[in-house]
Structure formats: C-alpha cells, structure tokens
Amino acid sequence: MISFRWAGLALAVLGASSAVAAPAHTVTYDRYSLVIDGKPTYLWSGSFHYWRLPSPDSWLDVLQKMKAAGFNAVEIYFDWGYHSPKRGIYDFSGIRDVDRLLDMARDVGIYVIARPGPYINAETDAGGFPGWLVTTAGKPRSDSPEYTAAYREWMTQINRIIARHQVTDGRGSVLLYQVENELYDESDDTRRYMQDLEDKARADGITVPLTGNHNSNFVEGLGATDIPGQDSYPLDFDCTRPERWNAIYDFSAERRELTRTPLFFPEYQGGAFDVWGGPAYEACRTFTGPAFERVFYESIMAAGSTMQNFYMTYGGINWGWLSSPGVYTSYDYGAAITASRQLTPKYDQQKLIGYMTRAVAPLARTDAVGTSVPDNRRLQVTGRINPDDGTRFYFLRHAEAQDTTDDATHLKIVLDDAGETTIPQQPGTAIHIDGRDAKVLLANFRFGRQSLAYSTSELMTQLRLGGRDVALFYGRHGEDGETVLRYPAEPKTRVIDGKVTAHWDAATHSLRLNYRHDGLARVAIDQGDTSLLLLIADNAAATRFWQLDTTNGPVLVRGPYLVRNAVRSGDKVALTGDTDKASEVELFGFPDTHGFAWNNAPVDAMATPSASLIAHIDGPASVSLPRLDNWRVNDGAPEIAPTFDDSGWLATDRTSSPNPYWNHQLPILDSDAYGFHHGNVWYRGHFRATGKEIGIRLSANTGVHLGNHGIFTAWLNGHFLGNNPSGAQQFAIDPAWLKKGGDNVISVLVDNHGHLQEEHNGAFREPRGLLSATFAGAPTEIRWKIQGNAGGENLPDPVRGPFNAGGLYGERMGWQLPGFADGGWKPTTLPHSTDKPGLDWYRTTFRLDLPAGQDVPIALRIHDLAPHRYRAIVFINGWQIGRYISDVGPQTDFELPSGLLNQHGDNTIAIAAWSTAHDGGLGEVSLVMQGNYRTSLEQHTVKTPGYREVVRVQKTAPPR
C-alpha cells in the first residue's frame, strides 16, 4: 500500500462547510481503491471547466449541484492560455480567480482532481497553450530547453495555488494531481519531460498522489505516475445517430494487470462534443442518456473500477474565441447539467448511481466472483464480492449492449449461511431487464443495524437517523420487486403507504417483502431495538430524494427540484435549494427534529406517519422578457474603402520566425507573428498597379478541423472579389478597378477559428491568417499591413481577457461595450437583409428586473427563415458570448451567463454581422427564457470596465 501523509483539514467525506483544524490524516491507495483516513473510498467524480463559465457565482451553483447529485469529487482543467495573454503575465483575478474556485470546492465539500497541464486538449484553442507560445521555438511536450522554460513559468504560477489547497496541508480539498494529459509517446525525451513535470510538482509543494490518463503509459520507469489512468469514450463522438450503440469493452483484464493501484478512469464518456453543422447537443444528450449511463457506467463497476470521472458533467460555453477549430460556441457536451446550468434526466441517473457508491462502502473493495448463468441466456450477470465482509454485487445487463429486447430472469446467488438461492422467491415474479438497461443488485449487505439478504430492487441510499435506519430502494415503474431482510425473530411490519406484502420465514429468519414499483411505498419494520423505514420507489420517485450532510449527521429530503445544503441547529434544520414549481418538501431527520426552514424562511411543517416532517413551498414568480425591437445599425468595415487610414497598423516586416511551420518565405504574414492570436484579423495590401494584373491568388489559414468553416473575404479598391474557406483562391480582377500607377489597396478580412490542439507534433503552431498573395499577369509587389485586436498582447480590457478580443473595427473602437454612444447610428428593425458583402454592427439595449431570489437562465436566439451567407458575433455587455453561422449551424440559442447580465438594470447587445456574399444581413433576434427557479443562490454581475475605461487604456496601450 502506498501512503501519503498530511496534517490539517478533516473533511469527513467532505461534509464540512469550512476548513477546521484537525490532526494528521493519510491518503493511501492499494489495488482496490483510494484509502482516505484508513477508509476505502469510491471516487465518483465529474468534469467542470471554470473558464467556460465566466461567472464565479455560477461556479458555486455547479459545484453544489454536483455535490447534491452524490459526486464526491470534481475534476478541473486549468487553462494556461486563459491566464496568460503575454509571456510573463499571469492573471488569477476575477473570472480567473482559481483560489476562489478551490475555496468553493472546499466549502461545498467536494474533492478536486487538479489537471494543470501544461497541455489540456479539451477542444479548446491550442489545447490550452497560450497564444504567445505559438511564436516560440522548441518541440512542445518534450524536454526541449525553449519549451521547458515556457512551461515552467506556468507550472510555478499554478502549482503554488494548487499546493495551498491540498488536502495534504489541511487547507483545501485537492486530492489528486494529474501530470500532463493524454501523452501517448513513450520516447526517452517524453519520459524525461514527464519526470521533469513530476519533479517540478514535488518541488513546488505538491504532495498528493500524481495521476495520469495515458492509457496505461508511464506505469513503470522514468516518468511513471503514482496512479495511471484509462480514458474511455465507448460511443465515440458521432451524435448524428443517437440510437447507435457500440459494444461494451470489458476492462477486467486491465483490472487484473494492476497489482498496486486501482482501476482509474480520469475520463469516461459523460457526453460528446458537437461540431459545426452537427445535429446539436440534445442529440448528444439522447446519445449518451440515462440508458447509456446505466449500462456503461455499471459495466466498469463490474470490471472492478473504483475511480470514475465523467467528462463532462457540466460543459459550459466557448465564449469569446476559446474553442479549437471544429467546435462551436456551446460546449454543452450533452452533459448531465446543461450549459444553462439546468438539471436533466442524465443528472437524475448519475444521482441514483452516485448515491449508491456512497451508501455501500463495501463497493470500494471487491474481487470478481463466479456466478450462475441466468436462466435467460440473452442476459449477462457479473458477480463481485467484498473480501472483508462478504457483501455481494450482481451486475445485470443484456449480453449484447445493443439488444433492445425486454427480458426477465431468475438468478441463483450465494447467500451467507444459506447456500445457493434462486431469486425472486415469490411465484410468478422475475427480475426484469429491459433492452439497454442494467441493474446493480445487492446481497449479504449489512447497514446500520440491518442485514439485507438480497433485493431485486436497487439501493439508492441508506442512512441512520438517531435510532432508526432509513433505506431507499427503487426500480423501473411497473416492475415487480422483492426484498429480503434477516432478523433474529419475527419483526413487526407495518405498511404505511403503498401495496406491499410481507412473509416471515422462521426457518431462515427472513422477512420477504413483495411489491410493484409504483410511486413511493413506505414500510416500517421494528424488531427489538432495531427499527427500519423502508422506502420503495420507482425511478421517478427516487430521483426526488436528496441526501445532505450536516455536522450532526445526514438528513434525507424529498420533493423539490434541488436541495443544496442542510444545517442542523438544535431541534431545527435549515434547508436551502431551488424549486421550479410549488413543491412538497419532506424532511427525514433525527427524531428530535421539530421543524425546518427553507431558504431562510420557516415553514409550516406537519408530522407524518413516517416520522418525517412535510411542508409546501412556493415556486418561482412568473417572468416575462422584453422584446428586442429598437435596433441601430452602422457600417462596420471602413477598412474596405481604399481611403481608409491604416497608418497606425503594423507593417508585416518580420524577416524571421522561430515557428517551425514557417516556410522561410517572405513576407511573414501570419497573425500570431504580430501578436494577434485570437479573433478576426484585417490585412490591407498596398501596391502600385501596372494595369497588367488580371487576378490575385490569396492563401489563408482560418483553422481546419472537423470541417472547414472558417472564411476569408477580399476587396480590391472597395470592389468585392469574393471569399474562400481555408486554402488558396484566385480572384479575377476587373481592369477598370485598378488605378494604374497609383496606390491600390487589397483589403482582406480573415476568420480565425482557433489553433489546433497539440498531438505532440507542434500542430498548434500552424499559422493563422493570410499566408501569401501573388498577382496573375504581373509580378507586382504588395506592401502588407495587419491589424487584429487593439493592443495585441497588451490588452486594453484585461478583465474580459485575451479570448474576448477580436480585430473587427467595431471591437477596436469599443462598439461592443456598454456606454458607447450609438445615437448617430441608423434605426433599423430585424430581420434585416443586405446584398452588400461586408460588415454591419447592430446594437440595442434592454432592461431586466428579475424577481429577487430567482435564477432565470436566459439565451439570445437568432432565427433565420432560410439560411443566409453571413456569420455573426454576439456580445452582451461587452462579452463575446456567441458565434453564429447562418448557413452552417447548428447553434441558434446563445446562453447569456447570469454574471454577465445586469439582472436589475440596463443591458447592451451588440452583434457584428459579416455578410460573406450578396445574401447577408441579420435574422430575427430575441431573448429566450430557458428556465425559472426560486433559489437560494446569490448571483452578482461580474465587474467589468465599460466603454470609457477600455478606450482610455486602449489609447495609451502600445500596439504590440
């Protein structure tokens, strides 16, 4: 057994609400599981990207929702590029305050698996590498001196933050630290690089176990991690056929090969990313829905895994220019929690399994055990047993995962002191396994003062409340169930609610209960000083239960949309949470509990025959959103005009580049070489025409991956030449457009869909922007100038950061910002069409006054009756929160994160619509309410500079 020691915080399965002093603790691991303070622990974790949710108060919302679903850990990538706009500059304030994030995790009571990179992948720009790294030399993800010097900057900065939030020094909940990410190369220089990262982490004070996700690479030798990991996406990422399932891969062989560490899945499929032109995320959510979760998640339990993290649990949005090429603004991922922070049936299913992993401690240590084949050969049963207490687990599913037939079976299982028993015992009943379904059944399980022989229902949770045990079992609606408990003598059995029959077998000291899953049944069982409240639910009823930890022990709550927290004080319990409608709230607490409050208001609670307290609470007040009718429009591309003053732009005068993708041709035109790493970039090329120029061949790279949806558009002396996606295109020149012997101007606007992710080959350095330009008919020289975002790497608006900054004229002038005076713009209505290729900016304001204590997710919707050839960039209060391509899609609704909205005042929408051909414009734009919840969550607007502040800094900032 490998051991790590620390002093400090006792989180006690992280139920504490704040850090407290505690004696020394240990975290160890063996071939079964993590062992925290001597207790084998099943790790049930989900992925969350704070940088895809620019609203710190909403971070707390996501973490609380994960905790409420039974997750005991959250896995977090830390994005190097998100924090470093320029070499040597690191920002950990505001929406980048990861100290605050990690404090939240500690206070919520959830462990953290830290993933600081340097490389993270994550379908994000350059896989998390900063833009400035593009212009450096040295092989990435290796021990090259240039790359080493760069990544050490980042690791020093992020490690010092992670180190002070470790479980091991008593100040936080960071439990594991992942070294690098998806690094499959096992060459000597890669191994040295891995070892350097590990040595750096240890030198920086990282004392928790080091993990990997390298498909079992780096298990031994130089660069080996403490706990290796397996990544698995069994359905891949094609959401176009959500009915398609692949076969289940059995990880039992991998489990057997691990002799000193648990079987760990740092990334197991929690959804799928979607691509430009894809089917949209609801298809991905169907694709990886509750049925997939039951069958595939339980299959890796059956293989013996005790460390599972699901990618993603909350995906968020690629606001600004965060995304890598291929994926669009939403990173919803079809996850359990939507991009608008709403709960889905996938969340409910994860909660059902997650609660079980917490309630059944023996699951953290199991060995494979032989089991009888079910009498229905279409089904498969995998047995496991805890070697210490004999608890048995039976994992049931169809042998072929794709099988959609509904089947029933009987099982022969081994019970302690009872030999082999066929279950169910009640004549005419059977265990039902629907197509694409799975179940985890328990036998020989002792909890509280109870002894469970077996149940054909699944256990969701069990807890002890004073002198009484409470257990919640569930099954599919309409299916029969059978639960058998052992007692030394016949107990008193009272059916409080529902149809349940009881049979006592004196020979085996067994109480058998038979029932049909239909809503919620309740049975009270008393025998001597042993008391049990047995709750028997169907799936829908079970998902309305919430288990919360208090300093005095757990409580169980039934009814509302979400319960976030419970605090016990004397004989009262204070509950906080959310309702989506008027709801019934039932509290199962300690016997001396005589009342409870909901969101700081006492409720009129009544006692029930179940010895619980029940009350009714209000739902949210109705909300109506304003119409967006009053728009103003202005020409947004003065760069097209030959008379435009570009004297302040940068000349493309670089004569060398360390970028290995440079082909040693001059001039060097790519935008990264001039400090413009994100967003659209303008080029203006001046030339003296000879009159022989009959065409111009332009080559550009907009970012090609999973489709080719970038674009560049060109004009000559104000005349539209045409457009093209990434690559080269020759445009014809009308001689009448040329000023023979005079100054002529080629204007080119180039899209940047982001930098490629890094596959250990330097691909993230692939150039972006214009690459070359040559005339047909004459060897005329072109003198190019370039302009991207104002200030380049010296950001005039560091609060919103590098990914919010683009190179359109309106962005450089602050047209997206609140406070800009647009009174001189023309009034217009939407939809608005144009036959003129170019750019138009649209602005409007609207006022919100949302009811206090309500969470109202709002989206902006763009609707076109028919596809048009234009793309739009959407800003809310200066934040770029969406990129829309009318003729590509699929996204039409863009989440407006609550921290970016002024919920009690004026808000500004600005939209830059780039018409790439003669059928452009902007469609109808409206606000959409995605949900409405009465909540205890407090959300505040992120403080950001407005027009005057940004423009003042912009005027003084150096150009690069």
Side-chain angles (χ1 to χ4, degrees):
M1 180 177 290
I2 312 300
S3 177
F4 294 78
R5 289 196 159 268
W6 69 90
L9 174 63
L11 289 174
V13 194
L14 295 181
S17 61
S18 62
V20 294
H25 300 275
T26 60
V27 56
T28 64
Y29 57 89
D30 57 22
R31 66 176 301 270
Y32 291 110
S33 66
L34 286 174
V35 182
I36 302 174
D37 286 346
K39 179 181 178 181
T41 301
Y42 199 106
L43 194 70
W44 185 257
S45 174
S47 292
F48 162 52
H49 298 161
Y50 63 94
W51 34 277
R52 282 186 160 119
L53 183 58
S55 176
D57 289 336
S58 295
W59 299 346
L60 179 63
D61 181 46
V62 172
L63 292 173
Q64 287 182 338
K65 285 171 176 172
M66 290 182 65
K67 176 69 174 180
F71 288 98
N72 61 359
V74 58
E75 191 178 76
I76 300 174
Y77 273 137
F78 298 86
D79 186 332
W80 181 5
Y82 188 68
H83 294 274
S84 183
K86 183 179 182 180
R87 184 156 196 167
I89 303 298
Y90 290 89
D91 184 2
F92 295 98
S93 64
I95 61 169
R96 296 169 183 79
D97 188 349
V98 294
D99 264 312
R100 181 178 178 185
L101 171 70
L102 294 174
D103 280 343
M104 285 180 181
R106 176 202 65 200
D107 294 344
V108 165
I110 195 166
Y111 290 122
V112 173
I113 303 172
R115 307 177 85 185
Y119 174 73
I120 62 172
N121 191 286
E123 289 74 56
T124 197
D125 183 87
F129 284 157
W132 56 262
L133 194 67
V134 172
T135 59
T136 63
K139 182 182 177 182
R141 306 174 78 190
S142 77
D143 61 350
S144 76
E146 298 89 349
Y147 174 70
T148 299
Y151 85 69
R152 279 179 167 266
E153 280 188 15
W154 163 244
M155 302 315 295
T156 296
Q157 295 288 335
I158 194 62
N159 283 349
R160 67 162 57 112
I161 296 175
I162 294 172
R164 61 177 174 257
H165 289 275
Q166 293 177 103
V167 171
T168 45
D169 73 355
R171 291 184 288 172
S173 61
V174 173
L175 180 70
L176 301 170
Y177 176 105
Q178 180 177 296
V179 182
E180 244 284 345
N181 185 69
E182 298 174 0
L183 189 56
Y184 305 110
D185 182 7
E186 293 188 77
S187 62
D188 289 344
D189 73 326
T190 304
R191 283 191 170 276
R192 288 192 297 270
Y193 167 54
M194 281 290 292
Q195 190 62 54
D196 287 347
L197 283 168
E198 294 166 21
D199 293 344
K200 173 66 173 167
R202 294 305 189 202
D204 288 342
I206 302 300
T207 55
V208 295
L210 304 180
T211 68
N213 66 326
H214 315 293
N215 289 2
S216 295
N217 290 2
F218 307 103
V219 176
E220 296 179 346
L222 191 69
T225 56
D226 297 317
I227 303 176
Q230 300 275 347
D231 288 354
S232 180
Y233 290 84
L235 298 191
D236 301 319
F237 304 102
D238 182 7
C239 302
T240 59
R241 292 184 294 137
E243 76 287 348
R244 173 188 59 83
W245 274 22
N246 295 327
I248 295 175
Y249 178 78
D250 184 0
F251 283 91
S252 298
E254 285 80 358
R255 168 61 280 166
R256 289 191 296 270
E257 290 174 2
L258 294 171
T259 59
R260 67 179 188 89
T261 62
L263 178 58
F264 176 31
F265 289 91
E267 291 184 25
Y268 198 89
Q269 186 159 20
F273 63 79
D274 196 22
V275 298
W276 288 103
Y281 275 113
E282 281 311 308
C284 297
R285 205 178 324 278
T286 300
F287 185 43
T288 59
F292 163 78
E293 292 174 317
R294 285 194 295 270
V295 172
F296 283 82
Y297 295 179
E298 291 174 10
S299 74
I300 54 176
M301 287 182 172
S305 172
T306 60
M307 297 177 68
Q308 300 174 34
N309 176 77
F310 304 104
Y311 188 103
M312 300 289 299
T313 298
Y314 172 82
I317 61 174
N318 290 309
W319 65 276
W321 302 95
L322 270 171
S323 67
S324 63
V327 297
Y328 48 90
T329 296
S330 179
Y331 197 71
D332 177 281
Y333 217 80
I337 304 174
T338 70
S340 55
R341 299 177 290 104
Q342 295 175 280
L343 310 183
T344 70
K346 289 184 61 171
Y347 177 94
D348 294 337
Q349 181 58 53
Q350 289 192 358
K351 183 169 75 166
L352 291 173
I353 303 176
Y355 275 34
M356 185 272 290
T357 66
R358 180 172 61 178
V360 187
L363 185 61
R365 287 174 57 83
T366 63
D367 293 313
V369 63
T371 183
S372 300
V373 177
D375 56 12
N376 186 329
R377 296 303 179 93
R378 297 168 64 93
L379 302 180
Q380 175 177 308
V381 181
T382 302
R384 300 194 70 84
I385 187 170
N386 182 286
D388 303 317
D389 65 8
T391 301
R392 290 176 177 261
F393 303 86
Y394 296 91
F395 299 86
L396 284 70
R397 63 173 174 84
H398 282 251
E400 298 295 332
Q402 304 92 328
D403 190 349
T404 59
T405 306
D406 296 342
D407 284 292
T409 191
H410 289 75
L411 297 179
K412 290 184 178 180
I413 67 173
V414 177
L415 300 177
D416 289 348
D417 304 322
E420 195 172 60
T421 300
T422 299
I423 65 167
Q425 297 180 45
Q426 175 72 20
T429 64
I431 302 171
H432 287 268
I433 300 291
D434 292 342
R436 298 192 173 190
D437 197 4
K439 294 182 179 180
V440 183
L441 305 185
L442 286 169
N444 296 331
F445 175 51
R446 294 166 181 80
F447 63 95
R449 296 184 178 179
Q450 311 301 319
S451 177
L452 175 71
Y454 68 84
S455 180
T456 66
S457 300
E458 296 181 85
L459 176 70
M460 180 179 178
T461 193
Q462 57 82 20
L463 61 162
R464 187 159 181 83
L465 299 174
R468 178 175 70 159
D469 294 310
V470 177
L472 172 59
F473 287 85
Y474 69 97
R476 315 299 175 258
H477 180 79
E479 291 184 358
D480 294 331
E482 182 170 282
T483 296
V484 175
L485 296 151
R486 296 192 184 101
Y487 294 98
E490 182 176 4
K492 178 182 178 181
T493 303
R494 177 169 56 96
V495 178
I496 301 172
D497 197 8
K499 296 180 180 180
V500 181
T501 61
H503 172 78
W504 172 253
D505 187 332
T508 60
H509 297 278
S510 297
L511 174 68
R512 188 181 80 239
L513 303 172
N514 290 94
Y515 44 83
R516 179 160 293 171
H517 296 98
D518 182 13
L520 180 63
R522 307 166 188 241
V523 182
I525 302 170
D526 294 283
Q527 202 281 317
D529 60 354
T530 299
S531 178
L532 171 67
L533 175 64
L534 186 64
L535 303 172
I536 304 168
D538 58 19
N539 275 50
T543 60
R544 304 305 290 186
F545 280 86
W546 306 90
Q547 183 171 326
L548 291 306
D549 295 320
T550 76
T551 54
N552 303 99
V555 297
L556 192 65
V557 180
R558 181 189 65 84
Y561 175 80
L562 172 69
V563 185
R564 297 177 182 272
N565 198 16
V567 177
R568 179 177 162 88
S569 178
D571 63 352
K572 303 291 193 300
V573 175
L575 301 174
T576 61
D578 298 14
T579 55
D580 57 349
K581 58 188 175 184
S583 302
E584 189 176 72
V585 176
E586 183 175 9
L587 171 66
F588 300 84
F590 286 83
D592 59 351
T593 301
H594 295 122
F596 67 92
W598 178 259
N599 290 350
N600 300 318
V603 299
D604 186 12
M606 298 176 57
T608 76
S610 301
S612 60
L613 296 174
I614 195 167
H616 293 271
I617 56 177
D618 293 334
S622 62
V623 171
S624 60
L625 299 180
R627 289 177 54 86
L628 304 178
D629 292 327
N630 300 312
W631 290 89
R632 290 184 176 272
V633 63
N634 198 43
D635 174 30
E639 298 94 339
I640 294 173
T643 56
F644 177 79
D645 181 8
D646 58 21
S647 59
W649 288 21
L650 295 177
T652 58
D653 56 3
R654 300 292 172 86
T655 58
S656 65
S657 172
N659 189 336
Y661 276 80
W662 178 41
N663 59 10
H664 295 276
Q665 293 182 1
L666 296 176
I668 296 174
L669 296 175
D670 74 89
S671 58
D672 286 297
Y674 299 92
F676 303 126
H677 306 302
H678 312 292
N680 301 313
V681 176
W682 274 101
Y683 293 84
R684 281 172 57 86
H686 294 258
F687 66 96
R688 190 167 298 276
T690 65
K692 297 180 180 180
E693 296 83 2
I694 61 172
I696 185 168
R697 182 178 178 83
L698 298 174
S699 177
N701 192 337
T702 63
V704 179
H705 183 60
L706 303 174
N708 189 2
H709 303 297
I711 202 167
F712 66 94
T713 309
W715 293 262
L716 170 60
N717 291 334
H719 299 279
F720 180 58
L721 292 176
N723 63 68
N724 198 58
S726 281
Q729 175 71 36
Q730 181 157 316
F731 301 99
I733 292 177
D734 186 336
W737 297 347
L738 295 172
K739 302 174 186 176
K740 187 177 180 180
D743 183 39
N744 296 260
V745 179
I746 295 284
S747 301
V748 184
L749 178 57
V750 185
D751 192 3
N752 180 355
H753 264 226
H755 299 86
L756 294 176
Q757 297 183 108
E758 173 54 44
E759 300 299 338
H760 206 54
N761 58 4
F764 82 101
R765 290 191 172 113
E766 185 182 273
R768 292 291 177 266
L770 194 62
L771 303 181
S772 65
T774 55
F775 282 109
T780 307
E781 180 185 2
I782 307 175
R783 303 178 310 281
W784 287 101
K785 288 194 169 186
I786 183 174
Q787 179 63 62
N789 64 289
E793 293 178 356
N794 298 299
L795 302 174
D797 182 5
V799 175
R800 296 181 178 92
F803 291 98
N804 200 68
L808 300 181
Y809 181 84
E811 292 177 280
R812 305 195 309 268
M813 297 297 107
W815 292 0
Q816 76 277 24
L817 298 168
F820 172 75
D822 58 14
W825 291 18
K826 295 179 182 179
T828 191
T829 58
L830 297 178
H832 181 258
S833 61
T834 180
D835 61 1
K836 179 184 176 183
L839 267 148
D840 290 303
W841 277 74
Y842 300 82
R843 280 175 57 96
T844 192
T845 60
F846 65 91
R847 186 172 184 82
L848 284 179
D849 192 12
L850 301 178
Q854 287 187 204
D855 182 13
V856 184
I858 297 172
L860 180 144
R861 174 175 294 169
I862 302 177
H863 174 65
D864 285 301
L865 288 176
H868 294 273
R869 284 181 288 179
Y870 78 90
R871 51 196 59 209
I873 305 176
V874 181
F875 296 87
I876 180 71
N877 296 329
W879 296 84
Q880 199 253 79
I881 52 80
R883 290 185 287 149
Y884 170 79
I885 306 180
S886 175
D887 57 338
V888 176
Q891 188 173 6
T892 58
D893 288 8
F894 299 89
E895 285 80 12
L896 306 179
S898 60
L900 309 188
L901 281 173
N902 182 355
Q903 301 190 30
H904 304 283
D906 292 332
N907 295 271
T908 298
I909 294 175
I911 301 178
W914 175 3
S915 299
T916 57
H918 297 284
D919 59 344
L922 179 61
E924 181 184 3
V925 178
S926 59
L927 297 177
V928 180
M929 186 168 63
Q930 299 172 305
N932 185 12
Y933 310 93
R934 188 179 292 274
T935 182
S936 61
L937 180 71
E938 294 184 4
Q939 299 192 82
H940 305 91
T941 304
V942 176
K943 293 181 179 180
T944 51
Y947 172 74
R948 295 182 184 277
E949 295 89 341
V950 172
V951 169
R952 182 171 60 249
V953 175
Q954 181 175 304
K955 288 180 178 179
T956 60
R960 52 171 146 163

